[in-house]
Structure formats: structure tokens, C-alpha cells
């Protein structure tokens, strides 16, 4: 066994290794170190090489879609996984992953990795900030959020809810073999895909441990898994009662129409609570989150920054969109989650008006809706948009239906951003897939912004992204992105306990298991193409950047 060095994927990557065992359908493989991946220059917005001396403007890390789960929750409907071959359930699965009980250790390993990156590889600037873009939790529960805060801020991480010890679908006694049982016994993952046995793994995975926390300040964001049951279903009064209760469903009800399952889960998920229920241990710490309680939880003493981006106005109004300025950059965090249900994103009309005002504040000139130029006395800043959903995922029309507020179409949001030339970058998650897109301004194709989507930490490739904003010294700038692999153990003979399960071993096994999940490993689209990972994104500087550095 060898520990993964704290470093960037330009130096070393992690890829599939040799087969360790075989099932009837496929092989279970170890992971192995691979050669690093160089940066790819993306010229869509500017096909001219940088001609000056690189000067760092800001370096920050992006972590998204941790989906840290209370794996013993009574309101997780894991039995939907049995419907994996039915296209009517495509938006409802996966609900359970073989590696999910180990996710906290993967997050802790990534925190150590981010702390170990002392400078960006392109311009040498220090990591000044960490941004998260939602779905840090899995099931909109308070105990999940508390664990995320302890991982990022430092403290004891406790995810063993209910009675002491593991009580969930991966137990050998659970009445369904669709889930991997690390303690042994027949299950689909072992029979079909050769998954290994790891006795007593689950007890080690959910045992409390102390996390060191991030060295840099960090910003939070509201996602659909913070707002909804499994990121999809509206939190009804019945669900709010059930999540702290002692009964858990184990299968789909016979009288539920499969044609209606998605809509029923979205609007009235509590209907599924009565499917062959079993008793489990109740726990009041599992209580359901609201947008207001999610925001309020971030105002812990000693947090950097206080509120992690959220403001006193957010606390007062129960909103989750804000601005946060760091050096020459304004971060504009949008709340794209839709509490009325549905996994897609939206920006309601109130937030759209606020966005226009937030952008105006950091522009000396911009384009009005009618195409005319507006000049102001405001100082220019570069603008980075943060949100859970990207433009392609702004598909939800349920947003704020109870308040009568219209969801702003994605093309209207995009048009607003194009009117403000200092917007250079939109960072998001949600799709669990690495992706980079140039968003050209249709009124001036030589300008636009870059949209960067980072993969999830819960699924393969279990990575984060380092982002550098660089002044190239010649009237141009670059956004340089570099993927990060965490410091969990990589073992070419497979990760196994060595005198017990340490945090780095659990993190390494999490990644190994994720790589072996059917249709979601290294052969899947999740890691993206090379042009979606380590990239140099070229563009014109929207204003003289030496003014921003002054």
C-alpha cells in the first residue's frame, strides 16, 4: 500500500488497476497511480497565447456534491435501487451507493489535500478561499449538516444516528440483497461484480472521529439535497415527523403506479413510507432542514467568514443568495434549489432582480436591457457566480409556486450575465460530472464567460478542483483549473484494513468502491474529457486588471 501524495493531478492521477475478483457480470478492480495530466488550453473565447508575465489575482478550491448521508435515516428510500432497469425510475436512483457510509472520511481526506496545496501551479498564488456549491448533505437533515460543518471547521464528526452501531440496508439481516453487504452474505454486488468482504467495516465507517477542518475560509451554497428529501421530494409534515421517528419502509408499495412514481415522490413522498415498514431507532437530531435553518446553522462562533457567506439579511428573510468580496473578485452566490420539489434548478424573479443589482455594484459600465451603455461611478471587480445548478440544469418550473413568483428561464439568466462584462466565471455542480463550457455573448462573440462544473466527492472520480484567476499581463486573463485527488490510500492489491481502519484507509476504500459501481466508474462520463479537467481558459480582460490589484 502507498498513500497518495498531497498534490495535483498534473503530477499524478489515479486510474483503474488490476482485477481482484470476478462476478458473473464484471470484475472488481483495484486503483493504481497513473501519469499526470497536463493543462489543455481552451481557446473558444480567445485564440491568442498569453504574452505577458502571469500575476495571480485569486486562487480558490471548489468542492461540491459531498452528499454526506445519514445512512441509517428512516426517510431514505433505498429500495428504489431495485428498479434500476426501469427508465421510469431514472431520476429516482441511485438512492444508495456501496461507498456512502465512508463519505465523511473521503471529505476529511480532501480537506487535508486542500490544506496541503500551498500555491496554485499556474501563477503561484496561495489558496485564499474554498467554495462549496451545494448538496453537501444528502437528505436535508440536521445531523448531516452538523457533520459537514464539523468536517470543514474542525471538530468531532458523528454520523452514527439512532441506536449505537450500524442499522441500515447494508446489514446482513436487511431483507433485500440489492445492497452490498461488506460483512458477508450473498448480494447483487458480490455475485454480479465481485465486490469484496470487509467485516466490521460499517462500524468503523460510522464511528465518531476528529476532523482538523479547513485552513482557509470557506463559502456555502444551498442545493436541492439541502432543500428536499433525496434532493427531489418536497418535505411534507408527514415526512418531517417520519425522519425523527422509528419506522423505515423497505419496498415499493404494490398499489403505486410506476408511471406516476416520479411525480408522486416529488409532490407527496410520504406516500412511500408505508411500504413494508420495519422498526428502526428514532433520533431527534435527524430533524428536517428548512432554508432558514440551513442558513442559520452556518453562523457558528469562529467561522471564517462569519456565516460562510450568508448575511444577516439572509437570516432575517430566510433567503440563501448573497455576495462576498475577496480582493479583486466578487463572488455572487445564487440559490437555485426549489423547495416545492424537483431536482432541477431555478432562480425566482425576486432573486433575478437582486442579481442585476449585485452585478451593477461592481461595474463601471454595462449594457442595459435595451442595448445601450450605462456608465456608473462604481469600481470594477471580476465576478464569479456560484450556484448548485448550471445553466443546463435550470429546468424547474415549480420554484416558489406557493408565493406566486415566476421561475426565471435559463436564457434570461444567461442574458443578464452577458450584459455585465466583468462576469468571467460560473462555478457549479449538481451533475456529478466534470465539464467546462464557453458561454459566448451573442451580441459580442469575442466576449463571454466560462462555465465550470466540478464532479462530486461522493461518486467517481471523488475529486475537487483548484481554480486560479490569472492576469496574463497583456490585456488578457486566464482561468486555470486543476483537479485534485485526495490523500486516501491507493493500494494496487486492494484497500484492506491494516491493524484496523484508519481515516486514510477508509477514504481510499471509498474511492475504490466508487470506481467499481456499475456504470459509474472510470468508463463512465463522470470524470469528463481532458478538456473538462486540467484546463487553461483564455479570455480578454474585461477592464485593466492592474486597477483590480491595486
Amino acid at each position: 500500500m502507498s498513500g497518495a501524495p498531497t498534490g495535483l493531478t498534473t503530477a499524478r492521477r489515479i486510474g483503474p488497476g488490476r482485477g481482484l475478483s470476478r462476478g458473473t457480470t464484471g470484475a472488481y478492480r483495484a486503483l493504481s497511480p497513473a501519469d499526470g495530466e497536463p493543462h489543455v488550453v481552451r481557446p473558444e473565447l480567445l485564440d491568442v497565447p498569453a504574452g505577458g508575465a502571469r500575476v495571480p489575482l485569486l486562487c480558490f478550491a471548489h468542492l461540491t456534491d459531498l452528499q454526506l448521508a445519514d445512512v441509517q435515516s428512516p426517510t431514505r428510500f433505498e429500495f428504489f435501487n431495485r428498479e434500476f432497469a426501469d427508465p421510469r425510475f431514472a431520476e429516482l436512483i441511485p438512492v444508495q451507493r456501496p461507498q456512502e457510509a465512508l463519505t465523511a472520511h473521503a471529505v476529511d481526506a480532501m480537506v487535508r489535500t486542500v490544506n496541503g496545496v500551498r500555491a496554485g501551479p499556474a501563477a503561484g498564488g496561495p489558496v485564499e478561499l474554498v467554495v462549496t456549491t451545494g448538496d453537501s448533505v444528502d437528505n436535508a437533515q440536521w445531523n448531516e449538516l452538523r457533520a459537514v460543518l464539523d468536517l470543514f471547521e474542525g471538530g468531532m464528526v458523528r454520523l452514527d444516528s439512532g441506536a449505537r452501531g450500524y442499522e441500515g440496508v447494508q446489514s446482513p439481516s436487511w431483507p433485500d440483497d440489492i445492497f452490498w453487504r461488506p460483512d458477508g452474505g450473498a448480494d447483487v454486488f458480490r455475485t454480479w461484480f465481485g465486490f469484496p468482504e470487509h467485516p466490521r467495516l460499517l462500524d468503523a465507517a460510522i464511528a465518531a472521529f476528529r476532523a482538523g477542518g479547513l485552513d482557509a475560509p470557506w463559502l456555502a451554497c444551498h442545493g436541492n439535497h439541502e432543500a428536499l428529501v433525496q434532493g427531489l421530494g418536497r418535505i411534507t409534515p408527514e415526512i418531517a415527523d417520519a425522519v425523527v421517528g422509528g419506522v423505515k419502509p423497505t419496498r415499493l408499495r404494490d398499489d403505486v403506479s410506476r408511471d406516476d412514481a416520479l411525480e408522486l415522490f416529488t409532490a407527496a413522498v410520504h406516500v412511500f413510507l408505508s411500504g413494508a415498514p420495519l422498526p428502526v431507532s428514532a433520533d431527534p437530531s435527524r430533524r428536517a432542514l428548512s432554508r432558514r435553518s440551513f442558513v442559520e446553522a452556518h453562523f457558528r462562533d469562529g467561522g471564517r467568514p462569519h456565516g460562510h457567506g450568508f448575511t444577516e439579511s439572509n437570516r432575517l428573510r430566510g433567503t440563501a443568495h448573497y455576495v462576498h468580496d475577496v480582493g479583486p473578485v466578487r463572488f455572487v452566490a445564487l440559490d437555485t434549489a426549489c423547495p416545492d420539489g424537483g431536482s432541477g434548478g431555478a432562480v425566482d424573479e425576486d432573486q433575478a432582480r437582486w442579481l442585476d443589482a449585485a452585478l451593477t455594484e461592481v461595474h463601471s459600465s454595462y449594457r442595459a436591457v435595451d442595448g445601450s451603455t450605462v456608465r456608473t461611478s462604481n469600481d470594477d471587480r471580476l465576478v464569479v457566480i456560484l450556484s448548485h445548478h448550471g445553466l443546463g440544469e435550470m429546468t424547474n418550473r415549480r420554484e416558489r409556486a406557493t408565493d406566486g413568483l415566476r421561475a426565471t428561464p435559463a436564457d434570461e439568466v444567461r442574458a443578464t450575465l452577458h450584459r455585465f462584462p466583468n462576469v468571467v466565471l460560473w462555478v457549479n455542480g449538481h451533475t456529478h460530472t466534470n465539464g467546462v463550457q464557453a458561454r459566448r455573448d451573442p451580441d459580442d462573440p469575442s466576449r463571454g464567460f466560462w462555465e465550470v462544473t466540478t464532479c462530486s466527492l461522493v461518486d467517481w472520480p471523488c475529486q475537487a478542483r483548484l481554480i486560479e484567476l490569472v492576469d496574463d499581463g497583456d490585456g488578457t486573463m486566464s482561468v486555470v483549473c486543476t483537479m485534485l485527488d485526495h490523500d486516501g490510500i491507493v493500494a494496487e492489491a486492494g484497500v484492506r484494513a491494516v491493524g484496523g481502519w484508519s481515516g486514510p484507509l477508509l477514504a481510499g476504500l471509498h474511492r475504490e468502491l466508487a470506481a467499481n459501481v456499475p456504470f459509474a466508474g472510470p468508463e463512465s462520463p463522470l470524470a469528463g474529457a481532458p478538456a473538462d479537467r486540467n484546463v487553461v481558459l483564455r479570455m480578454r480582460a474585461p477592464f485593466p486588471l492592474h486597477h483590480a490589484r491595486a
Side-chain angles (χ1 to χ4, degrees), residues 147-412:
V148 170
L149 294 170
D150 288 333
L151 282 162
F152 284 167
E153 296 187 344
M156 289 299 297
V157 179
R158 297 179 175 86
L159 275 170
D160 183 8
S161 64
R164 186 174 180 179
Y166 179 77
E167 184 181 45
V169 299
Q170 289 182 270
S171 167
S173 62
W174 196 261
D176 198 335
D177 67 354
I178 196 66
F179 312 109
W180 177 53
R181 295 167 168 164
D183 281 300
D187 64 67
V188 164
F189 283 89
R190 179 170 290 104
T191 302
W192 291 6
F193 304 105
F195 269 55
E197 288 188 15
H198 289 293
R200 297 179 295 280
L201 171 67
L202 292 169
D203 287 338
I206 64 174
F209 68 95
R210 181 167 295 280
L214 287 163
D215 291 342
W218 62 275
L219 302 181
C221 204
H222 192 230
N224 55 295
H225 278 263
E226 279 86 13
L228 302 165
V229 178
Q230 296 303 135
L232 183 64
R234 187 169 61 89
I235 298 176
T236 62
E238 295 90 341
I239 283 291
D241 289 340
V243 72
V244 297
V247 177
K248 182 177 177 68
T250 64
R251 66 174 175 83
L252 192 65
R253 280 174 36 178
D254 293 334
D255 61 343
V256 170
S257 166
R258 282 166 161 73
D259 290 336
D260 300 329
L262 176 60
E263 179 58 30
L264 192 58
F265 192 95
T266 302
V269 61
H270 55 271
V271 169
F272 295 95
L273 290 169
S274 56
L278 287 179
V280 295
S281 300
D283 191 335
S285 76
R286 291 171 173 151
R287 65 184 181 271
L289 292 172
S290 65
R291 180 187 277 131
R292 187 182 296 275
S293 64
F294 172 77
V295 168
E296 183 66 37
H298 289 79
F299 286 84
R300 286 180 167 188
D301 291 341
R304 294 185 304 132
H306 187 54
H308 297 292
F310 298 123
T311 66
E312 291 299 326
S313 176
N314 294 137
R315 296 175 87 173
L316 178 66
R317 299 174 183 274
T319 58
H321 51 273
Y322 62 85
V323 301
H324 183 79
D325 296 333
V326 181
V329 179
R330 164 158 287 192
F331 288 89
V332 178
L334 302 177
D335 176 13
T336 58
C338 303
D340 285 326
S343 62
V347 171
D348 68 53
E349 56 190 340
D350 275 356
Q351 192 175 170
R353 286 189 289 268
W354 169 88
L355 173 62
D356 197 289
L359 295 174
T360 299
E361 292 173 353
V362 289
H363 279 79
S364 61
S365 67
Y366 62 94
R367 192 170 67 233
V369 175
D370 64 7
S372 62
T373 298
V374 179
R375 303 195 184 280
T376 78
S377 59
N378 299 330
D379 292 332
D380 284 304
R381 286 181 184 269
L382 299 174
V383 176
V384 176
I385 306 295
L386 304 177
S387 69
H388 182 61
H389 301 84
L391 276 171
E393 306 303 319
M394 296 282 192
T395 58
N396 201 312
R397 295 296 173 261
R398 300 172 184 266
E399 172 69 7
R400 303 288 295 278
T402 54
D403 297 335
L405 292 175
R406 182 181 70 98
T408 307
D411 58 354
E412 290 186 24

